[in-house]
Amino acid sequence: MTKIALIQLKTSIHKNQNLKKILEYIKYAAKNHADVCIFPEFMMFYYDPKHISISNFAESINGSFIKQISYAAKSESINIIGTFYEKSNTSKVYDTAFFIDKYGTVITTYRKIHLYDAFGFKESDYILPGSKIMNPINTDIGKLGMLICYDLRFPEISRILTVRGSEILVIPSAWINGYMKEQHWLAINKTRAIENGCYVIASNQTGNIYCGRSLVVDPMGKILLDMKKRENIKFVDVCIEKIRHTRKKLPLLKHRRPDVYGKN
């Protein structure tokens, strides 16, 4: 069994204030013997264009924000997954997820591919899209595939990650409130778990314009954790053997017909 610490955040526009809170959650997760600490999208700061310049406060992977989180991972001997605003050579930034292992090493990063230009929002005004699906990574908690928020609505990326070997899909998110949005969130997370026979772990922002409801869903679609609306940290155990057992009983991946799909 692997113990997951899921953090549901309400971030402010103040990066240093958020970092202090993040480091406290990491310490608390380690104290409770979690193997990995998972944060939501936009954990660095809440972007309000009226009060903050996103490019001025974004950082590189070698910047202070990631360095301090890496130091905490090593000090507390815990794996950490989250996101940050990554500088580019333009006025826009990348929305980048990271995996830092318990030795403080940044193992991989993933730049969000699908930008949220929907329901009246336009992320492409200030975020650059990524162009590469990162391969799953072997970790202490299983083989992980990473995607970010709006990527959930595109089943191709989850399926590609699963076909490449993912046992757990981790989705840092900042899912926005709105008509039927929570219903979409619940339905899509459950669907991705069921269709791929994997765990889905989706940490979400709460407060501001976001809906909360951070989730852990097992390979049969059972919701193991729903964090509702409060900012909080919760713990849940996941079992890799359950993935193998589910995929044996319901061998969806073996029943795929890519030989037919390409002809249509």
Side-chain angles (χ1 to χ4, degrees), residues 113-181:
I113 290 173
H114 302 99
L115 301 185
Y116 186 60
D117 288 1
F119 293 108
F121 290 85
K122 198 168 184 183
E123 277 190 342
S124 61
D125 282 346
Y126 57 95
I127 291 177
L128 292 170
S131 58
K132 185 177 181 182
I133 299 171
M134 301 307 294
N135 283 326
I137 50 173
N138 287 308
T139 74
D140 296 343
I141 62 171
K143 202 162 187 179
L144 297 186
M146 291 199 300
L147 50 158
I148 300 174
C149 199
Y150 193 51
D151 288 331
L152 264 171
R153 289 188 180 271
F154 302 87
E156 297 89 347
I157 188 169
S158 296
R159 177 50 54 87
I160 289 167
L161 286 168
T162 303
V163 169
R164 290 180 182 177
S166 295
E167 297 168 313
I168 301 173
L169 297 177
V170 181
I171 308 108
S173 299
W175 202 266
I176 293 171
N177 281 313
Y179 174 67
M180 291 297 292
K181 293 294 298 301

Side-chain angles (χ1 to χ4, degrees), residues 28-70:
Y28 184 80
K31 183 179 178 181
N32 284 272
H33 310 294
D35 298 289
V36 61
C37 202
I38 300 176
F39 290 92
E41 185 185 23
F42 304 155
M43 63 189 277
M44 197 177 204
F45 55 85
Y46 171 58
Y47 177 53
D48 181 348
K50 296 176 183 177
H51 297 98
I52 197 168
S53 167
I54 196 167
S55 59
N56 286 346
F57 288 92
E59 298 185 14
S60 74
I61 192 66
N62 298 312
S64 174
F65 186 79
I66 295 297
K67 279 185 177 177
Q68 291 189 67
I69 293 173
S70 294

Side-chain angles (χ1 to χ4, degrees), residues 17-36:
Q17 185 181 96
N18 296 324
L19 180 59
K20 182 180 178 182
K21 188 189 297 184
I22 288 162
L23 297 177
E24 288 171 352
Y25 274 126
I26 291 169
K27 185 173 290 189
Y28 184 80
K31 183 179 178 181
N32 284 272
H33 310 294
D35 298 289
V36 61

